[in-house]
Amino acid sequence: MTGNDKEPQVVIVGGGPVGLVLAAELAGFGIRTVVLEARTEVSRRPKATTLHARTVQCLQRRGHLPARVGPPAATHWASPFHFAGMSGLTITAPATEPEPLLKCPQEDLERHFEERALAAGARILRDHRVTAIQPSRDAVRVEAEGPSGRLSCTADYVVGADGARSTVREHAGIGSQSFPATISALAGDVRLADEGALRPGWHRTPRGWVIVKDAGGGVVRLRTLNCSGPHPARHLPVTLAEFRHEVSWLVDRDVAMAEPEWLSRFSDFSRLASAYRAGRILLAGDAAHVHFPIGGQGLSTGLLDGLNLGWKLALAVRGDASDGLLDTYEQERRPAARRIIDNARAQLALMRPGTEFDPLRDMFAGMLTEGPFGDALASMVSAQDTVLPSLTPRPSRWEGTFLNNAVVETAGGRTDVIGLLRDGRPLLLLSGTDREGHRRQAGPWQDQLHMVQVEATSALPCDALLVRPDGYIAWSSGGDALPSALAVYFGERRRARRPAPHGAAGRDLADALS
């Protein structure tokens, strides 16, 4: 970049949780990674606090979460949740997996991912604002302004993880589909003059919603939802007088409050980028998708973007990816974002205060606790119903599904799938009578794989499995021949090279949060 520093291979614009988890992944794979972040420090303002099941499961497979054991004498976890403000939804996960709902302040996650990224060798430059992005056929030039003046560098790829008003998306010329705001919402931490004026919980009123949470120390966290229309000047700062008036209007009585620690404004404006990639420029997180923040799905979705992109981009930079591997990032993640935008809009429709929606709400409330319907909604909200598109011409029934954790017997003793994936490379699990044949077929790609021979066990769905670093099944016996699948991910046969190191650098989340 300057002086004797080597140029970065990947520049990530945006140092929020998505940019930092991606930086930790790339640096862990040995990729020279630089993060440019406009903020001078991690924001302490309360934001998202919920991580859903599929995100928790993928983070654990990548070594970002400590190992957890399921509830004793149980076959699955069951965590209560909500849908459109209605209680009764239950998020479940196998007992071999982590608990399906992880409550963790976004601030703590950012610090954890930053620590791991730094420990793995990434550079994080705060107080740097990107001013220009100039892509060419073989590289991308990035210019930024920082405390020491102008900075410029040339990278193989640039990733925009810089939020809803993404500079990277704008410079890349990537368009989007958007849905205008229809409601106005406020949030803040305050002290109530009468501590009993608002009880904790979700409260629907004839004018909208007030959501109340005890933030500790006599502070109450409030969120409001005014369905009468969007705020005419949504970028104006929120005053305590406006916040008090809004809460009082919604509950139809005066609610006195003081000492605001923070106040903010948001809406149901939604956006989905028309593409997640423009040549050597990619988008992730809020730069690619924005939706109404209901159900804690935004943070989880962005982190899944980072975990999906990380290993693919590392392979592309190292020259070990097939020509089309990076394109699968958009093919897999953009439909997932579209589903979340749609389900967030559907939840908001159910939350509108008109009495004409009461029969529909009553029907949904009753169905949330019923098996098939409630299970389907829970799987959608937690992203556990995600099935990736098949990449081989004749896929098996398992290709694109998520491999639940299972205990397996190896030559080195008993372990599980989560532990085997910590290596960071795609995992080839071999059992059954044809395991040596599969091993020979995988020989030309052995430097890219973690090949493990396991004893035949009913815990695995079939005799041979190729598992991606994020836990999804890339191939299994019963479909196309193994070399066909390996070529889809890594290209045709090539001379074996020593794999780049990948370790679980830094402390795990249990240490970071202690």
Side-chain angles (χ1 to χ4, degrees):
M1 299 172 67
T2 58
N4 296 322
D5 291 343
K6 289 184 177 180
E7 292 277 24
Q9 293 168 298
V10 176
V11 170
I12 300 170
V13 182
V18 176
L20 291 173
V21 77
L22 179 59
E25 289 290 288
L26 290 170
F29 279 109
I31 304 301
R32 297 192 303 276
T33 305
V34 169
V35 178
L36 301 176
E37 167 55 45
R39 296 174 302 170
T40 59
E41 60 183 11
V42 173
S43 173
R44 303 191 66 179
R45 174 170 290 192
K47 295 183 180 180
T49 59
T50 300
L51 290 182
H52 277 291
R54 186 47 43 86
T55 307
V56 175
Q57 293 157 7
C58 291
L59 284 170
Q60 193 182 53
R61 281 155 174 77
R62 295 301 314 115
H64 293 290
L65 297 177
R68 292 175 181 265
V69 179
T75 59
H76 64 276
W77 293 96
S79 298
F81 202 59
H82 53 81
F83 187 86
M86 295 178 284
S87 61
L89 194 67
T90 300
I91 309 291
T92 64
T96 54
E97 296 288 350
E99 191 169 0
L101 284 175
L102 175 62
K103 290 293 185 178
C104 178
Q106 183 170 317
E107 174 189 355
D108 294 346
L109 282 172
E110 287 191 27
R111 295 187 190 281
H112 165 66
F113 293 139
E114 180 175 26
E115 179 181 315
R116 289 180 62 88
L118 291 170
R123 295 183 61 189
I124 299 173
L125 304 180
R126 294 191 173 274
D127 200 15
H128 281 74
R129 295 183 179 276
V130 170
T131 57
I133 297 175
Q134 300 169 340
S136 64
R137 179 179 178 180
D138 300 320
V140 185
R141 187 158 187 81
V142 180
E143 296 183 3
E145 291 289 339
S148 300
R150 179 174 169 272
L151 174 148
S152 63
C153 62
T154 301
D156 295 335
Y157 292 90
V158 168
V159 180
D162 51 340
R165 299 182 181 90
S166 172
T167 298
V168 176
R169 187 183 65 240
E170 180 181 345
H171 280 279
I174 297 176
S176 60
Q177 180 186 14
S178 61
F179 303 90
T182 65
I183 58 95
S184 174
L186 303 176
D189 283 2
V190 296
R191 293 182 182 273
L192 300 180
D194 177 4
E195 294 183 359
L198 297 170
R199 69 183 188 280
W202 292 62
H203 306 291
R204 183 166 65 92
T205 80
R207 296 172 174 177
W209 287 78
V210 176
I211 303 161
V212 186
K213 180 180 179 181
D214 182 4
V219 175
V220 175
R221 182 162 300 155
L222 302 177
R223 288 179 174 84
T224 68
L225 178 61
N226 182 336
C227 295
S228 63
H231 193 277
R234 62 188 180 92
H235 297 305
L236 287 179
V238 183
T239 65
L240 179 62
E242 179 188 1
F243 195 58
R244 174 178 177 174
H245 177 270
E246 186 80 341
V247 172
S248 300
W249 180 77
L250 286 168
V251 300
D252 198 24
R253 66 179 186 278
D254 184 54
V255 179
M257 58 186 69
E259 301 180 44
E261 296 189 1
W262 63 276
L263 299 169
S264 70
R265 188 189 313 277
F266 61 101
S267 73
D268 61 329
F269 172 81
S270 303
R271 176 194 286 121
L272 179 62
S274 56
Y276 279 26
R277 181 187 181 192
R280 292 180 174 270
I281 301 176
L282 300 109
L283 303 178
D286 287 353
H289 45 78
V290 177
H291 60 85
F292 180 57
I294 181 72
Q297 299 175 92
L299 175 60
S300 290
T301 305
L303 292 177
L304 287 175
D305 289 347
L307 295 175
N308 184 293
L309 178 59
W311 64 276
K312 295 176 181 178
L313 186 53
L315 288 174
V317 171
R318 285 161 38 188
D320 292 325
S322 67
D323 291 340
L325 183 62
L326 265 187
D327 291 329
T328 67
Y329 167 61
E330 176 181 326
Q331 293 164 11
E332 293 171 357
R333 295 307 304 156
R334 191 172 182 274
R338 181 59 197 245
R339 289 190 71 202
I340 289 168
I341 290 173
D342 289 345
N343 90 53
R345 296 178 70 208
Q347 289 190 64
L348 180 59
L350 286 169
M351 294 175 73
R352 296 186 184 277
T355 57
E356 66 272 20
F357 295 110
D358 286 345
L360 184 61
R361 278 189 284 265
D362 292 342
M363 182 180 72
F364 260 78
M367 294 172 68
L368 284 181
T369 59
E370 296 180 4
F373 184 80
D375 291 347
L377 282 183
S379 294
M380 177 185 67
V381 169
S382 64
Q384 292 183 102
D385 67 347
T386 301
V387 176
L388 303 180
S390 299
L391 300 183
T392 62
R394 293 184 297 107
S396 74
R397 60 180 291 227
W398 302 107
E399 185 175 328
T401 64
F402 192 77
L403 179 62
N404 287 327
N405 191 33
V407 175
V408 294
E409 294 284 351
T410 72
R414 177 173 290 189
T415 184
D416 63 4
V417 170
I418 289 175
L420 292 172
L421 282 171
R422 294 284 176 93
D423 174 83
R425 291 175 292 169
L427 173 64
L428 182 59
L429 292 172
L430 300 174
S431 65
T433 58
D434 199 28
R435 54 193 175 194
E436 288 304 319
H438 287 131
R439 184 185 294 275
R440 287 193 298 272
Q441 289 179 333
W445 296 274
Q446 63 181 340
D447 58 319
Q448 304 301 329
L449 302 174
H450 182 192
M451 287 193 280
V452 178
Q453 182 172 309
V454 301
E455 297 299 324
T457 171
S458 59
L460 297 177
C462 44
D463 289 342
L465 287 166
L466 178 63
V467 188
R468 299 164 22 146
D470 54 15
Y472 281 89
I473 297 173
W475 169 89
S476 74
S477 53
D480 272 319
L482 177 56
S484 174
L486 292 171
V488 166
Y489 283 90
F490 308 113
E492 296 300 330
R493 295 171 55 129
R494 62 187 66 205
R495 179 174 60 87
R497 298 190 296 109
R498 184 182 299 275
H502 188 92
R507 297 182 296 154
D508 67 22
L509 188 58
D511 295 329
L513 299 182
S514 63

